[in-house]
Amino acid sequence: MRVVGMNDFGGPDKLKVFDIKEVHPGPGEVRIRVYAASVNPVDIAFRSGQMGGFAGRVRPLIPGKEAAGVISEVGSGVKWQVGDRVMAIAAPFSPYGGAYADEVVVPAEHVSRMPEGLDFAAASTLPMNGVTAHTTMDQLNLAPGQTLAVTGAAGIVGGYIIQLAKKRGLRVIADATAEDEQLVRDLGADEVVRRGEEIGHNIRKIVPGGVDGLADSAAQMGAVVPAVRDNGRIAFLRPWPGQPGRGIVGEYVSLTSYYSLRYISEEVEKGILTPRVADIFPAEQAYNAHRRFEAKGVRGRLVLDFSK
């Protein structure tokens, strides 16, 4: 079967097309014929070697955390059937590799049905990003009427966080460039501030007492702390070694459970979540998709087409 991966770490040109032995699911697992796989920041980190050297691992190493496709084989003890249209979270660290492949094997609990009326490209942007947004909101645990600030609001995860926050009855203050302001308002932000090093102080101008919680999707780390009230909460989407102080609880968002996958399709069908595809690349041009991602400024997700 065809996969896109690499034999060693480095830049986008390390991504090549390989033909490897077909994979098959074991008990509690399913195999998915992948039609689309999204390109995420974690894929860039995996490819460049930031996530470890994988000494002794069989090559090629296969990136990819999100996929959409059709169930092609099932292991014992699962509810899914061959032919089901699904989206899934893959694991590049697993023996099967990640989602950049014609076929990927994943645990059955990492799979959700595709939203009705959605194509494979759009569906491939949902599972990991949607779960990340849900986990962030659950971790912040804000009550209706409280105020949430969101950095990286024009990005996929930031946008999903805004939409989930509005569903939960929160007031949302989000950051954006001038070019992205309308997009962020359309996603549901009540107030928009300019992003940058003064983000914390800019938010305080709108909420003098500080916001109740903040989702740091843009990884601005210490710069966001001034925005948050004493004893408030911050969800960091990348690890930060600092301490916020003032009784603020700052926690890294770690995906230890995928339970919220079950809600995402219905939320898309109800218009609560809005998938955004920036561009689609043939699978064999994954290196170009990675180059485009690293050039910054992408709004929505880049997607690799494995349908051909």
Side-chain angles (χ1 to χ4, degrees):
M1 68 178 197
R2 175 184 56 162
V3 303
V4 174
M6 66 272 188
N7 284 323
D8 54 6
F9 301 105
D13 289 343
K14 295 294 184 181
L15 293 172
K16 309 288 184 184
V17 177
F18 297 86
D19 187 19
I20 69 169
K21 185 177 179 181
E22 189 176 60
V23 295
H24 297 280
E29 298 175 331
V30 300
R31 186 178 71 179
I32 299 169
R33 169 62 175 97
V34 176
Y35 284 88
S38 65
V39 176
N40 285 282
V42 68
D43 304 348
I44 308 302
F46 182 91
R47 187 213 71 222
S48 61
Q50 298 174 39
M51 302 181 72
F54 299 94
R57 285 291 186 101
V58 175
R59 265 53 174 175
L61 298 170
I62 307 168
K65 288 286 289 183
E66 292 184 303
V70 176
I71 299 286
S72 59
E73 189 178 347
V74 296
S76 60
V78 303
K79 67 175 183 178
W80 299 103
Q81 298 182 353
V82 172
D84 287 343
R85 291 163 59 92
V86 297
M87 52 192 187
I89 299 175
F93 302 98
S94 78
Y96 304 112
Y100 290 11
D102 282 339
E103 305 272 358
V104 65
V105 171
V106 298
E109 62 267 24
H110 293 191
V111 178
S112 177
R113 70 175 180 87
M114 277 179 51
E116 293 291 336
L118 207 64
D119 62 25
F120 290 110
S124 75
T125 72
L126 282 164
M128 186 186 71
N129 291 300
V131 167
T132 300
H134 267 280
T135 304
T136 300
M137 293 303 302
D138 291 346
Q139 198 163 294
L140 289 168
N141 193 31
L142 299 180
Q146 290 190 293
T147 300
L148 170 70
V150 181
T151 70
I156 282 287
V157 174
Y160 289 164
I161 290 171
I162 291 172
Q163 292 181 308
L164 291 177
K166 296 310 297 179
K167 174 193 173 187
R168 298 187 185 194
L170 302 179
R171 178 191 182 195
V172 176
I173 301 171
D175 73 344
T177 62
E179 293 78 10
D180 289 331
E181 179 171 347
Q182 191 57 54
L183 166 64
V184 170
R185 290 190 183 278
D186 289 345
L187 288 167
D190 298 290
E191 304 280 354
V192 178
V193 299
R194 290 291 170 261
R195 59 184 311 173
E197 293 182 1
E198 296 299 312
I199 181 70
H201 301 291
N202 291 339
I203 292 171
R204 279 276 183 160
K205 291 176 183 177
I206 297 174
V207 187
V211 297
D212 301 295
L214 186 143
D216 188 24
S217 177
Q220 296 199 52
M221 309 299 186
V224 305
V225 174
V228 182
R229 66 169 172 81
D230 293 357
N231 304 309
R233 304 183 71 89
I234 304 175
F236 293 104
L237 271 71
R238 294 184 190 174
W240 180 54
Q243 296 295 326
R246 295 189 288 113
I248 297 170
V249 176
E251 295 179 323
Y252 170 57
V253 177
S254 178
L255 303 188
T256 58
S257 170
Y258 297 151
Y259 80 95
S260 56
L261 258 178
R262 71 189 73 175
Y263 307 126
I264 292 173
S265 287
E266 184 177 353
E267 287 168 342
V268 172
E269 290 163 356
K270 289 181 176 179
I272 296 167
L273 294 180
T274 308
R276 288 180 284 141
V277 175
D279 205 352
I280 301 173
F281 291 77
E284 60 271 17
Q285 291 185 25
Y287 58 92
N288 277 334
H290 276 228
R291 281 199 194 107
R292 170 87 177 276
F293 188 98
E294 290 182 310
K296 309 294 185 184
V298 175
R299 294 296 175 255
R301 276 287 179 257
L302 302 174
V303 174
L304 304 180
D305 180 3
F306 280 90
S307 66
K308 301 178 178 63

